[in-house]
Amino acid sequence: MPESPVVLHAIEFPVERKLHSRKLTIHGWCFDLTGEFLKGVRATVGEQIFTARRKRPRPYLGYRYPDHPEAAVSGFQIDVEVPRGRSIIQVECKRSDGRWVLLEELPVAAPWIAWPWKQKVSGQDYETWVHHYDTIHADDLVKLRQTGAALTDGPLISVLLPVYNTPLRWLKRVIETVLGQAYPKWELCIADDASPDPQVRKTIESYAAGDPRIKVVFRPSNGHIVAATNSALELATGSFVALLDHDDELRPHALLEMAREIMGNPEAALIYSDEDHLDEAGVRYAPYFKPDFNYDLLLSQNCVCHLGVYRADLVRQLGGFRAGTEGAQDWDLALRVFEAVGRDRIHHIPKILYHWRSIEGSTARGVSEKSYASSAGRKVVEDHLSRTNQAVEGVEEVKQGHLRVRWSLPNPPPVAIIIPTRNFRHLLEVAVESVLARTDYPNFRLVIVDNDSNEESTLDYLASLQAQGKADVLRIPGPFNYSLLNNRAVAACTEPVVCLLNNDIEIHERDWLREMVSQAVRPGVGAVGTKLYYPDGRIQHAGVILGMGGAAGHFLKGCDSSNESHGGRLHVCQNFSAVTAACLVVERRKYLEVGGLDEGDFKVAFNDIDFCLKLDDAGYRNVYTPFAEMSHHESASRGAEERTDAGKERATRETMLLRQKWQPYCEADPAFNVNLSMVHEDGSLGFPPRIGEWQTRREKRRSESSALLPPRGGGLG
């Protein structure tokens, strides 16, 4: 056990007990609560000593512990090689008095023969994460049941279970997971959809005889899942209904978590959770850690899905489950609930409360297992858009289960494409020529904002662009201030739509501007960002996450373009709290409405993040679209200046200002998930998860729930 409570520490990526290699890397952080600086960190294995590489940035700890100067650089990394068989790794730190203090003891078992093809990255896999942070042991379950029993005023939750010829093994299992709930105030409403196997009926009747909370209806003829679920709904007497598929599993605390959320937020109309998959051997895999309610993501995929709990009277008021939506009936219901109540009454619990059973014929293995579900998803989104009078050219599948909405743009408005620059003709020329050659938009003007260029080559190029009528040049002298340059340019423009574009961008596809403008002119949309690549093809930007690295980071940065993690979010339109202004499109009136970019506090960095958050605060949704793609030679023209002492000092100051101004977003970005890492931008799992930040945000929301806020978002469009 650790010897000194005065040294605050954490191992960020827990070492697996059973290693697949004799080499591993330990990541973590530590600092002395007395304010003294530590002199070293090491790991020992027997007589072997491995010295840590220290002073790794941990900005988020600096913000959390501002009175401890070492907190912001308290990270360390230790490369360790362990002997064969079992051993113990001791992680120690050296305090200012020279004494080594034990922080952690990590028992490991290394292989006798380290087969290289069996190696995996320690601590990064879901199995390890589940082991450390999401395994419910027997004593945990006892405490959960005590908590559930104490909620005597909790709501009755009716679990709707449509059944059709379910293999008995899985039918028994799904019923047992309801019987095993820590929260006791439930009823299980089973609707058997005329299963031909007589053992199905016999099994259901047996369970119903053993628990009065189980209600059953046997339908005389098969009507498919919508009819069966509506039959189960007719049995329900609870104030809320939970949707459960006949071969899946509820976690033991699923209904308890839902009941707590309902009691804390009595206005809630829909509550959904995170989910993962379960194979036939009971191994968990492929988690989907979701964002809070995300309208444009819901148009792209059924991100609500499981576990979904709905207010029963609202479901009945909406007519129950809609015939003709089989395979996407819950997606359809979620959209209709949103239409009725808006986003503020839709809540998200960032915990895995539901396991999809992955067996042959289940959609857990892919929508291709039930091809009708994919076409049904497209239909329910089309119907929603029609009901809400949103003009679209069409809805198309980009992959099974994922959709793209093509928004109508019958009269493309004029667009001003604004490119600030200073020298670096070789970069600027690539950006300008790629815009001119690869933009099929019919009505745009290129405005280059020259900030004291003095290289003859650059000046000649700007003059030639003007002479040929390819671009207008707006000269704004003075120290570099990205916000001021763009604000002056927007003020000088008359076009109703503006595009902020860096001078180190290279366009890929000709329809990029049409896609972004068609998103930006929707009434409820603020800024629109796009998918950016590094020159080597890896992802550079697919949305901004607040709080990552202390201030802001890019979602899935550095990942391969085929990345399918987190529900394949890389490949679909969705809402983010912010997008980068390396390429950003927004209506000019909205830009001016929120005051444009901040010329005082955010002269160079985070001005785009601050701008997007001002739009979000004003009720607009910021959109990321992957259907406009380009390369970004990130900060190529500013890199040298950013590495100077003055540049580093400025960056630190702007980081602190962003954190102070937008702290709620930085603590728990609603477009992200507290179970994912805020240290790495690759979408990896958080070791540990930051569930406490979500709890804090939930408590704050509860304190405000007495005055129900109107739905935000500036309209559905």
Side-chain angles (χ1 to χ4, degrees):
M1 295 297 293
E3 294 179 0
S4 175
V6 299
V7 178
L8 197 62
H9 71 281
I11 302 298
E12 291 173 321
F13 303 106
V15 178
E16 296 176 81
R17 295 177 180 178
K18 185 175 182 180
L19 303 177
H20 295 262
S21 169
R22 296 194 198 113
K23 295 182 179 180
L24 72 151
T25 300
I26 301 171
H27 298 263
W29 55 265
C30 60
F31 64 91
D32 197 323
L33 288 171
T34 66
E36 297 290 332
F37 280 75
L38 298 176
K39 290 187 173 182
V41 177
R42 70 184 184 185
T44 63
V45 185
E47 299 298 320
Q48 289 186 295
I49 298 175
F50 303 91
T51 302
R53 296 195 289 277
R54 298 182 59 222
K55 303 299 182 183
R56 299 294 172 104
R58 292 296 183 270
Y60 63 97
L61 291 171
Y63 303 128
R64 189 166 295 176
Y65 301 98
D67 297 331
H68 296 82
E70 195 174 19
V73 288
S74 59
F76 63 78
Q77 176 179 321
I78 316 175
D79 296 320
V80 177
E81 185 167 356
V82 297
R84 301 172 180 176
R86 298 184 180 277
S87 56
I88 294 177
I89 302 171
Q90 293 186 320
V91 181
E92 302 173 306
C93 71
K94 189 176 185 180
R95 297 191 63 194
S96 59
D97 60 6
R99 186 167 62 94
W100 285 98
V101 175
L102 177 65
L103 300 179
E104 294 282 351
E105 287 190 342
L106 307 171
V108 296
W112 286 89
I113 300 176
W115 301 105
W117 54 86
K118 290 187 177 181
Q119 295 179 12
K120 58 182 177 179
V121 180
S122 176
Q124 292 289 340
D125 64 296
Y126 187 49
E127 182 181 354
T128 301
W129 188 91
V130 167
H131 169 75
H132 286 279
Y133 307 118
D134 201 36
T135 297
I136 297 176
H137 301 286
D139 54 342
D140 300 321
L141 190 54
V142 170
K143 294 176 182 177
L144 289 171
R145 285 177 175 156
Q146 290 172 346
T147 301
L151 298 182
T152 55
D153 296 330
L156 175 64
I157 300 176
S158 301
V159 181
L160 309 186
L161 180 62
V163 169
Y164 179 74
N165 234 34
T166 314
L168 297 185
R169 175 186 179 186
W170 307 129
L171 177 60
K172 292 177 181 179
R173 182 59 192 153
V174 70
I175 296 174
E176 292 288 347
T177 66
V178 179
L179 291 170
Q181 287 298 299
Y183 180 69
K185 296 185 68 175
W186 55 262
E187 60 180 14
L188 177 58
C189 304
I190 303 176
D192 177 65
D193 199 21
S195 297
D197 183 355
Q199 293 301 313
V200 170
R201 179 170 187 141
K202 183 177 180 181
T203 300
I204 293 172
E205 289 176 333
S206 175
Y207 275 104
D211 195 312
R213 295 173 295 179
I214 298 178
K215 302 179 177 181
V216 182
V217 59
F218 294 99
R219 292 174 48 81
S221 61
N222 181 261
H224 214 312
I225 190 167
V226 166
T229 308
N230 280 332
S231 293
L233 178 62
E234 291 175 3
L235 298 174
T237 61
S239 56
F240 283 81
V241 294
L243 309 186
L244 178 61
D245 287 348
H246 66 163
D247 52 6
D248 295 339
E249 291 191 17
L250 293 181
R251 299 290 304 283
H253 58 315
L255 299 185
L256 174 60
E257 291 289 347
M258 290 293 174
R260 284 169 161 174
E261 189 71 14
I262 292 165
M263 294 177 72
N265 299 277
E267 86 290 349
L270 163 58
I271 307 167
Y272 66 98
S273 75
D274 298 339
E275 60 196 60
D276 66 8
H277 292 70
L278 200 65
D279 67 16
E280 296 188 34
V283 176
R284 293 170 58 180
Y285 71 100
Y288 188 2
F289 290 114
K290 307 170 187 177
D292 287 354
F293 182 74
N294 192 309
Y295 176 62
D296 283 278
L297 184 59
L298 187 59
L299 295 181
S300 302
Q301 60 173 231
N302 185 7
C303 56
V304 170
C305 205
H306 295 304
L307 173 65
V309 172
Y310 297 76
R311 185 174 291 278
D313 58 0
L314 178 60
V315 174
R316 293 190 176 96
Q317 177 186 326
L318 295 174
F321 296 86
R322 193 162 62 97
T325 64
E326 284 79 5
Q329 70 284 342
D330 52 347
W331 193 350
D332 177 71
L333 180 61
L335 286 167
R336 289 188 288 135
V337 166
F338 169 67
E339 293 167 27
V341 303
R343 74 178 189 179
D344 285 322
R345 295 180 63 189
I346 300 177
H347 295 200
H348 167 228
I349 297 176
K351 297 182 180 182
I352 301 288
L353 302 183
Y354 193 99
H355 300 312
W356 285 59
R357 179 80 61 190
S358 181
I359 58 177
E360 186 175 352
S362 168
T363 50
R365 287 196 174 179
V367 181
S368 59
E369 294 286 333
K370 293 180 179 178
S371 58
Y372 65 87
S374 186
S375 58
R378 186 175 68 251
K379 180 185 185 307
V380 302
V381 170
E382 290 172 340
D383 290 349
H384 162 74
L385 295 170
S386 176
R387 288 192 303 269
T388 52
N389 299 312
Q390 300 187 68
V392 300
E393 290 185 354
V395 179
E396 60 189 50
E397 290 184 45
V398 291
K399 58 175 290 188
Q400 288 190 315
H402 289 182
L403 305 175
R404 175 185 182 180
V405 179
R406 288 188 179 269
W407 300 95
S408 293
L409 196 65
N411 299 303
V415 179
I417 301 177
I418 299 169
I419 305 179
T421 194
R422 177 188 288 178
N423 297 320
F424 291 93
R425 171 179 174 165
H426 65 285
L427 287 174
L428 177 64
E429 188 169 3
V430 170
V432 169
E433 298 305 323
S434 71
V435 168
L436 295 174
R438 300 174 192 160
T439 304
D440 62 8
Y441 194 83
N443 193 358
F444 72 91
R445 180 170 66 101
L446 201 55
V447 180
I448 300 176
V449 185
D450 179 35
N451 181 218
D452 287 336
S453 291
N454 55 18
E455 293 177 355
E456 185 176 348
S457 174
T458 302
L459 294 173
D460 288 345
Y461 181 60
L462 293 175
S464 71
L465 290 173
Q466 278 188 297
Q468 297 174 63
K470 292 182 177 180
D472 293 329
V473 178
L474 178 64
R475 288 185 165 82
I476 302 178
F480 180 78
N481 183 325
Y482 181 83
S483 298
L484 181 146
L485 297 176
N486 281 287
N487 286 348
R488 294 274 184 90
V490 171
C493 292
T494 58
E495 290 83 356
V497 178
V498 294
C499 170
L500 309 187
L501 193 71
N502 276 16
N503 66 348
D504 54 358
I505 289 289
E506 183 176 1
I507 305 299
H508 287 189
E509 303 294 337
R510 292 177 57 81
D511 64 348
W512 70 279
L513 190 53
R514 190 216 174 278
E515 165 64 16
M516 298 185 76
V517 173
S518 70
Q519 297 276 3
V521 298
R522 296 163 58 197
V525 169
V528 179
T530 186
K531 184 189 288 184
L532 300 178
Y533 296 91
Y534 286 113
D536 64 6
R538 293 175 300 122
I539 297 299
Q540 190 269 332
H541 170 266
V544 172
I545 304 301
L546 273 295
M548 188 171 281
H554 288 186
F555 185 50
L556 299 178
K557 183 178 179 180
C559 290
D560 186 84
S561 60
S562 62
N563 187 286
E564 290 293 338
S565 64
H566 312 301
R569 286 180 64 184
L570 174 64
H571 309 291
V572 294
C573 282
Q574 62 201 274
N575 304 124
F576 278 93
S577 298
V579 293
T580 179
C583 181
L584 182 153
V585 174
V586 63
E587 285 190 290
R588 184 173 180 270
R589 65 176 179 84
K590 298 170 184 172
Y591 187 99
L592 297 175
E593 178 186 334
V594 299
L597 304 184
D598 189 330
E599 302 173 14
D601 288 340
F602 303 107
K603 294 180 174 68
V604 179
F606 304 129
N607 37 57
D608 49 357
I609 311 304
D610 176 70
F611 171 67
C612 287
L613 293 175
K614 289 191 295 184
L615 286 167
D616 186 87
D617 201 47
Y620 297 108
R621 303 186 310 275
N622 298 309
V623 171
Y624 155 76
T625 173
F627 305 116
E629 301 174 289
M630 50 201 73
S631 294
H632 184 203
H633 305 268
E634 186 178 23
S635 300
S637 62
R638 293 283 308 162
E641 295 176 58
E642 297 303 290
R643 290 189 291 271
T644 65
D645 289 342
K648 292 177 181 178
E649 182 181 346
R650 189 267 314 150
T652 299
R653 182 175 62 256
E654 291 179 337
T655 297
M656 295 291 291
L657 287 170
L658 184 78
R659 184 85 186 194
Q660 291 166 4
K661 184 174 181 180
W662 300 107
Q663 185 174 359
Y665 289 88
C666 292
E667 289 294 337
D669 189 333
F672 201 47
N673 190 295
V674 293
N675 293 292
L676 301 178
S677 174
M678 294 295 272
V679 177
H680 302 281
E681 294 176 286
D682 59 2
S684 54
L685 299 170
F687 285 84
R690 298 168 296 111
I691 199 68
E693 280 86 344
W694 171 73
Q695 299 281 8
T696 300
R697 190 177 68 197
R698 182 174 71 166
E699 292 304 319
K700 182 179 179 182
R701 185 171 64 189
R702 284 179 176 176
S703 68
E704 298 170 346
S705 64
S706 57
L708 181 61
L709 299 174
R712 296 176 61 195
L716 288 173

